[in-house]
Amino acid sequence: MYATSTAIADTRASTFEIEALPHLDAVFRFATMLSGDPVHAEDLVQETMLRAFRSWDRFRSGTNARAWLFTILRNVFISDYRRNRRKDQAVDLSEVEEITLVEPMEGKDPEARLLHHLIDSEVLECIGQLPDVYRATLLLSDVEGLSYEEVAKVLDLPLGTVKSRLFRARQILQRQLHDYAVEMGYIEPREELQVAVGA
C-alpha cells in the first residue's frame, strides 16, 4: 500500500514538473501585470503553484496547463486583493523586464500578428497605459497566446466581452503606435497623413 502511494506521488510530481513548471515565467509575467509589483508577484506565483500542485489531480492532462495556471493565479490575486485592500493595486508594465511572445498560430488574426512583430519597449509602454480591463485581455491573448475561449475562462468573462475588449484595446494601440510603426518602417504612412503633412 505504501509503495503504491509513493508511486502515485512520484507520478504526480513528475507530471506537474513536465506540464506546469515550463509555464512559470508566463505565470510570473501575468502576476506582475496584475499586482504591479515583482515582489508581490513572486508571492502570488508561489501560492498559485502550491494550489496547482495540491489540486493537480483535477487537471486534465493534454489540456492547456498555462490557461489553468492563469485561472488559479487570477483567483489567488482576487482573494489576496480582497484580504488586503490597504493599497491601490496599480499595474505598471515598466517593471516587467522582458516579455517574450509566443509565435502566432496559423490563422491567428492580423492584429495579433502585427503586435507580435512590433513588440518592444514602445509597445510595452503603450500596453501599460491601457485601462486595466483592456490590458489583461490583450496580454493574455496577444502576448501569452491564449485563445479567446481560454482568455474568457481565465478572466471569467463572456466570450463576446473578451472579443469586444480585444478589439477596443487593439484600436487604442493602433492609434498610439501608428507614427512609431511608420518611423520604424513596419508600415507605410497613410496617404491622408502624407497629404496633411505636405500641406
Side-chain angles (χ1 to χ4, degrees), residues 133-134 137 152 156-167:
V133 295
Y134 301 133
T137 309
D156 194 25
L157 294 171
L159 185 59
T161 302
V162 167
K163 290 179 180 181
S164 173
R165 287 183 182 180
L166 276 173
F167 178 77

Side-chain angles (χ1 to χ4, degrees), residues 110-131:
E111 291 91 350
R113 285 198 303 273
L114 175 64
L115 183 60
H116 173 77
H117 292 294
L118 282 178
I119 198 80
D120 65 11
S121 60
E122 183 80 16
V123 175
L124 292 177
E125 185 178 326
C126 289
I127 291 172
Q129 294 170 5
L130 286 172

Side-chain angles (χ1 to χ4, degrees), residues 31 33 56 58 74 131 133 137 151 154 159-160 179 193:
M33 187 277 303
W56 189 242
R58 290 186 284 184
R74 177 187 165 274
V133 295
T137 309
V151 173
V154 169
L159 185 59
D179 292 340
L193 293 177

